[in-house]
Amino acid sequence: MPVAQDRHHKLPALAETGFQILRPFSETLDPQEWERLQYLDWKSGGDTNFAVLASALGDDDPRGFWEHGRADKDGRWTPNAALAPALCSWVTSVGARYGRVRIIKLAPSTDEATVVQRYMHLDDNNRLNPEGEGWVVRAWLNLTDDPDSYMLLREDRDDPATEHRIPLPRGAQFVVDTERLWHAAFHPGSRDRYALIASFESGPQLQAWMDSQQAARPVRQAVPADRADLDAQPI
């Protein structure tokens, strides 16, 4: 069960590191579900475009829910959602209250130093979140197979010793408190990377889903600053 911290309910599972890697999503997804969507030129964490599946008002709007005087919860499906039924089913299968849901299309990165210096950021998930309700976190489902790419996470943006890396093969699933951890994806591939990103409210439903998606084997998550080869790979 969640515990009360800082006026909102947070999940104990995220208390230590701020993130949790889950087992890969095993079902086959049709690439048309993300390739045929309407994308908007919206920059966040690199050269990105976004297809909006759920927004504050159900329109094709990538902005934060606070722009409409709402917390990042109770998202409404957009016209894109009708073209991506399996992706929407992934969101609803979590069982938790969801807000903003988007597909990110990320162009290849130039180099890791640029990603760290220019694109690592914190999200603003909990603006207007009522006291006593669940803290909003983000979950990812990587849609393309990007085995050489990884999500960079840092507790302290300028301290590599606080860094963790999450590999991004097809089906990678993970949950991050992105208002706590600085984050950006390093994507050295030759083609665009696609991933589903959804905001979820912390609570028993999200915890139950995370428990059901636990990795079959332990995962090495810490990456010492002087041993960058030790990425977050299964051990």
Side-chain angles (χ1 to χ4, degrees):
M1 292 292 290
V3 294
Q5 298 178 13
D6 302 328
R7 302 175 298 169
H8 294 94
H9 295 295
K10 295 186 178 181
L11 297 180
L14 300 180
E16 182 177 356
T17 63
F19 72 97
Q20 187 165 331
I21 300 173
L22 307 173
R23 70 167 181 259
F25 185 70
S26 59
E27 297 180 26
T28 300
L29 294 170
D30 184 352
Q32 288 192 53
E33 289 217 6
W34 55 89
E35 292 177 349
R36 64 184 176 181
L37 301 180
Q38 179 68 40
Y39 282 84
L40 303 174
D41 187 6
W42 186 265
K43 301 310 176 191
S44 175
D47 185 0
T48 56
N49 293 274
F50 286 90
V52 184
L53 295 183
S55 64
L57 302 180
D59 50 7
D60 201 17
D61 185 353
R63 295 178 299 166
F65 281 30
W66 62 82
E67 299 281 357
H68 303 281
R70 299 182 54 202
D72 192 359
K73 301 176 181 181
D74 301 320
R76 302 176 189 175
W77 297 118
T78 71
N80 267 331
L83 301 175
L87 299 182
C88 295
S89 292
W90 182 88
V91 175
T92 56
S93 72
V94 173
R97 195 175 174 191
Y98 60 86
R100 197 187 328 193
V101 181
R102 301 174 294 167
I103 306 296
I104 184 173
K105 178 182 178 182
L106 175 65
S109 306
T110 50
D111 58 85
E112 185 178 317
T114 298
V115 170
V116 172
Q117 293 167 9
R118 295 186 57 187
Y119 300 129
M120 290 197 83
H121 64 284
L122 296 174
D123 289 336
D124 190 1
N125 299 330
N126 288 280
R127 193 187 302 195
L128 305 184
N129 191 4
E131 288 189 29
E133 293 194 359
W135 188 250
V136 176
V137 296
R138 293 268 171 88
W140 271 261
L141 169 61
N142 210 62
L143 301 173
T144 46
D145 192 26
D146 309 297
D148 297 323
S149 304
Y150 45 86
M151 181 68 67
L152 285 162
L153 305 174
R154 287 188 183 181
E155 193 87 42
D156 182 333
R157 182 184 184 278
D158 299 318
D159 186 358
T162 67
E163 182 176 296
H164 297 77
R165 297 178 179 182
I166 301 177
L168 300 173
R170 180 181 292 110
Q173 299 184 115
F174 50 96
V175 178
V176 181
D177 183 348
T178 57
E179 196 162 328
R180 167 183 166 182
L181 296 178
W182 295 83
H183 60 284
F186 175 54
H187 175 49
S190 59
R191 59 180 183 172
D192 294 333
R193 167 187 169 252
Y194 290 85
L196 172 62
I197 312 172
S199 297
F200 288 109
E201 180 181 41
S202 295
Q205 295 85 357
L206 181 59
Q207 184 62 64
W209 176 76
M210 292 168 62
D211 291 343
S212 75
Q213 301 296 311
Q214 284 293 319
R217 294 183 291 168
V219 175
R220 180 186 293 123
Q221 296 176 336
V223 182
D226 60 345
R227 298 183 64 192
D229 58 313
L230 295 180
D231 294 349
Q233 298 283 1
I235 56 175

